[in-house]
Amino acid sequence: MTRKFDHFAFLSRSREDPDVFPLKVRRSEFREIYKPYSQEEAADQAERCLDCGNPYCEWKCPVHNYIPNWLKLAGEGRILEAAELCHETNSLPEVCGRICPQDRLCEQACTLETGFGAVTIGAIERYIVDEAFKQGWRPDLSHVRTRPWSVGIVGAGPAGLACADVLTRNGVSVTVYDRYPEIGGLLSFGIPDFKLELSVMRRRREVLEGAGVHFRLNCEIGTDIQAHELEHMHDALFFGIGTYQPVEASLPGMEKGGIVPALEFLIGQTNHMYQLDIPGFPHINLAGEHVMVLGGGDTAMDCVRTAIRQKAASVQCVYRRNRENMPGSPREVSHAMKEGVKFEFNAQPLSLIHQNRKLTGLEIAKTRLVASNTGRARPELIEGSEQVLPATALIFAFGYRPSPPSWLETIGIATDESGLVRMDDHLPGQTSNPAIFAAGDMVRGSDLVVTAIADAREAAQSIIQYLEVKEPQLRRA
Ligand SMILES: Cc1cc2nc3c(=O)[nH]c(=O)nc-3n(C[C@H](O)[C@H](O)[C@H](O)COP(=O)(O)OP(=O)(O)OC[C@H]3O[C@@H](n4cnc5c(N)ncnc54)[C@H](O)[C@@H]3O)c2cc1C
Ligand code: SF4
């Protein structure tokens, strides 16, 4: 039922995030911590939007969602129209609503952020799409004109899925290849279920397959199919294969053991929970251990919160700058703190301490922040502040570097000195091989889901432009 939008609701109603499950439940369960909004709650919060003439939130959102427009529709209870509008700019709005760092993006830019509390944009985006799916919404492709082209997409992460979505909506036939048994990339194998449940990606797979996307899973390019073979199977290719090389640390004592690799730990947990049988990712159970995680980004927060749920004896996060300088979302840090993670800020790891080859502690020194010419404060060691923190399992979560497979070169995709795929100057997303496009972490370096989606959607438009020009030649071949 349509309700009338109250334009002055921001004066009478404060920001209310969706309820979270009680701490006791959250600390033990691998399921999303936020309960869904009711229809009434979502409409009440959506009505707080001021509908600014020049909305900063839209500008700060990397996919430039039509935020005030779909908030208004949600406020009026017109959920199917709101979902349709969400999908005009975003291929995975239910995912972004859950895991975008809104406090650094759209909500940070909301006019109400200062003094009133930003509109809960992410939670409403999630509500709109979840509710629309419940009501049976599916993309309407009845008007789409079929094109005679076939595109191969390597990687079913957010970049690959966004490219597949845009191409399918433009009538292009798409096959997505991924080495894993589920779609989602890091959304399924990396980001834990307490932020994003696997069922969300399984539902999206159904929607994409319903729209005509063909998935070939458990299929590794370079092993099961060679890249040059793939070139002959399609009119154009898109790559979104991410970055998977961990940034390595070098500390005295590392060779004696006690180190748990971050992504293996997270993937092993998903593999175990869903019995997926992905080789090379055993379940690493840290129950009863004194877990220490080094780093301050999303991966570090996911590791500490996973260790809490596995019932570690203690969980501590060591970060060399202060809380304000942490690279991840402040919201995730605050969840970790509430769930029982201790933080040692301004602390630089020095060496690992072992007794009889068993890790027992980490030696650290305290730091102070000093100005640097990079614009970001630099940590400087404070002499005489050394101390040992107890630790029996140590996780390094310093981020990921590009990991381009060697066969990229053989199909003419050039990378720069750091290993990132180099973009050709011609069309957005076009690599040095004009028939091959790329986006996501393998082009930008480790970044965000929403930026991978934004770049891949643009690359998909470039593929269409490329094929339109190329079509007469394709017909002759
Ligand atoms: C632990 C962790 C937590 C994160 N949390 C957040 C968060 O809360 N919010 C946020 O916005 N971002 C987060 N990120 C970052 C985000 O997940 C990435 O930026 C995003 O997933 C990049 O998308 P992508 O499609 O480029 O790559 P990926 O998601 O890495 O997908 C790449 C896909 O390619 C497949 N692939 C690779 N090689 C091959 C091959 N040879 N053949 C076939 N398939 C192949 C992989 O199996 C994978 O499915 C997090 C990252 C990590 C590691
Ligand atoms: S996609 Fe992300 S940044 Fe954009 S409106 Fe949604 S939550 Fe905000």
Side-chain angles (χ1 to χ4, degrees):
M1 202 181 50
T2 309
R3 79 179 210 182
K4 202 165 173 314
F5 199 84
D6 172 5
H7 289 279
F8 292 97
F10 75 98
L11 293 173
S12 56
R13 243 169 263 155
S14 55
R15 174 187 167 110
E16 298 289 345
D17 285 290
D19 289 338
V20 285
F21 286 102
L23 259 184
K24 197 162 165 254
V25 177
R26 273 161 62 185
R27 284 172 51 91
S28 60
E29 288 193 358
F30 284 89
R31 69 161 145 156
E32 286 178 12
I33 66 166
Y34 286 105
K35 296 180 186 174
Y37 272 143
S38 68
Q39 191 175 344
E40 196 64 20
E41 287 168 336
D44 282 353
Q45 290 300 309
E47 274 187 339
R48 295 184 65 246
C49 175
L50 294 179
D51 193 12
C52 310
N54 189 357
Y56 292 126
C57 57
E58 273 191 27
W59 167 77
K60 196 78 189 277
C61 164
V63 288
H64 306 303
N65 274 334
Y66 302 130
I67 299 168
N69 304 63
W70 46 248
L71 287 174
K72 185 163 190 297
L73 290 169
E76 293 170 351
R78 294 159 65 186
I79 299 304
L80 299 184
E81 289 162 79
E84 199 62 54
L85 198 56
C86 285
H87 282 86
E88 274 189 29
T89 47
N90 192 350
S91 302
L92 301 171
E94 76 283 25
V95 172
C96 292
R98 284 171 164 84
I99 61 164
C100 267
Q102 289 100 11
D103 45 14
R104 292 200 275 128
L105 298 173
C106 53
E107 292 180 15
Q108 189 192 53
C110 174
T111 310
L112 290 177
E113 170 62 0
T114 317
F116 293 88
V119 176
T120 53
I121 298 170
I124 297 169
E125 188 176 22
R126 168 192 168 184
Y127 166 78
I128 291 169
V129 183
D130 286 353
E131 183 55 30
F133 281 140
K134 263 194 234 153
Q135 294 182 20
W137 179 87
R138 291 292 181 270
D140 174 13
L141 304 184
S142 55
H143 59 284
V144 171
R145 180 170 59 94
T146 307
R147 319 264 198 139
W149 310 317
S150 154
V151 174
I153 294 181
V154 185
L161 297 180
C163 182
D165 173 50
V166 173
L167 291 176
T168 306
R169 285 167 179 270
N170 282 279
V172 181
S173 157
V174 163
T175 303
V176 183
Y177 302 84
D178 202 290
R179 61 185 171 181
Y180 287 154
E182 301 272 346
I183 72 162
L186 286 170
L187 304 178
S188 302
F189 301 100
I191 297 177
D193 272 35
F194 49 81
K195 278 164 63 181
L196 173 69
E197 287 174 13
L198 187 60
S199 59
V200 176
M201 294 318 298
R202 286 182 168 166
R203 182 179 61 191
R204 182 50 75 172
R205 178 176 172 186
E206 264 174 49
V207 174
L208 288 168
E209 283 179 332
V213 176
H214 179 56
F215 287 105
R216 275 192 69 179
L217 303 180
N218 293 309
C219 178
E220 178 153 4
I221 303 308
T223 306
D224 300 308
I225 301 178
Q226 298 306 318
H228 61 85
E229 291 175 63
L230 203 63
E231 273 193 291
H232 297 295
M233 291 160 63
H234 299 282
D235 300 316
L237 295 178
F238 172 89
F239 282 81
I241 59 174
T243 49
Y244 285 87
Q245 181 67 42
V247 172
E248 272 165 20
S250 161
L251 290 179
M254 278 180 62
E255 69 290 350
K256 291 189 190 149
I259 292 165
V260 176
L263 203 52
E264 279 82 339
F265 173 54
L266 296 172
I267 299 179
Q269 178 62 36
T270 306
N271 207 3
H272 169 71
M273 270 170 50
Y274 292 98
Q275 304 188 333
L276 291 173
D277 197 25
I278 309 176
F281 296 100
H283 186 215
I284 303 172
N285 190 352
L286 298 181
E289 303 283 350
H290 294 281
V291 178
M292 186 156 298
V293 177
L294 308 186
D298 286 329
T299 307
M301 290 312 107
D302 290 351
C303 288
V304 287
R305 296 176 70 198
T306 297
I308 287 277
R309 284 159 176 80
Q310 286 190 348
K311 310 236 171 320
S314 68
V315 184
Q316 199 162 15
C317 177
V318 172
Y319 182 57
R320 59 199 187 125
R321 293 188 169 86
N322 56 14
R323 185 173 175 180
E324 292 66 42
N325 272 288
M326 290 182 96
S329 156
R331 179 186 60 191
E332 299 301 314
V333 176
S334 127
H335 285 317
M337 284 179 171
K338 285 189 191 133
E339 289 169 11
V341 178
K342 299 272 173 287
F343 282 79
E344 189 72 35
F345 291 113
N346 297 104
Q348 173 85 35
L350 297 179
S351 66
L352 280 68
I353 312 292
H354 292 79
Q355 277 173 10
N356 302 327
R357 296 198 76 81
K358 167 104 180 92
L359 181 70
T360 56
L362 176 77
E363 186 189 20
I364 57 140
K366 297 301 281 183
T367 61
R368 70 170 77 83
L369 291 180
V370 293
S372 82
N373 51 14
T374 64
R376 192 167 181 219
R378 179 174 58 80
E380 187 181 74
L381 291 190
I382 301 176
E383 229 177 279
S385 66
E386 295 80 5
Q387 52 182 289
V388 175
L389 304 175
T392 58
L394 195 60
I395 301 179
F396 290 98
F398 293 152
Y400 296 89
R401 287 194 288 110
S403 45
S406 54
W407 45 255
L408 274 189
E409 253 179 55
T410 66
I411 52 170
I413 303 183
T415 52
D416 67 15
E417 59 290 345
S418 72
L420 292 173
V421 171
R422 240 181 46 209
M423 290 288 99
D424 183 77
D425 289 340
H426 191 44
L427 292 170
Q430 193 169 34
T431 69
S432 42
N433 178 335
I436 304 185
F437 297 74
D441 282 1
M442 72 182 299
V443 177
R444 269 183 185 260
S446 294
D447 200 42
L448 292 175
V449 171
V450 68
T451 49
I453 293 173
D455 293 351
R457 288 176 63 90
E458 212 181 359
Q461 295 296 351
S462 298
I463 294 174
I464 294 167
Q465 274 188 53
Y466 165 79
L467 289 172
E468 272 168 352
V469 175
K470 197 86 183 149
E471 186 168 353
Q473 275 169 268
L474 294 171
R475 286 237 181 87
R476 275 201 300 277

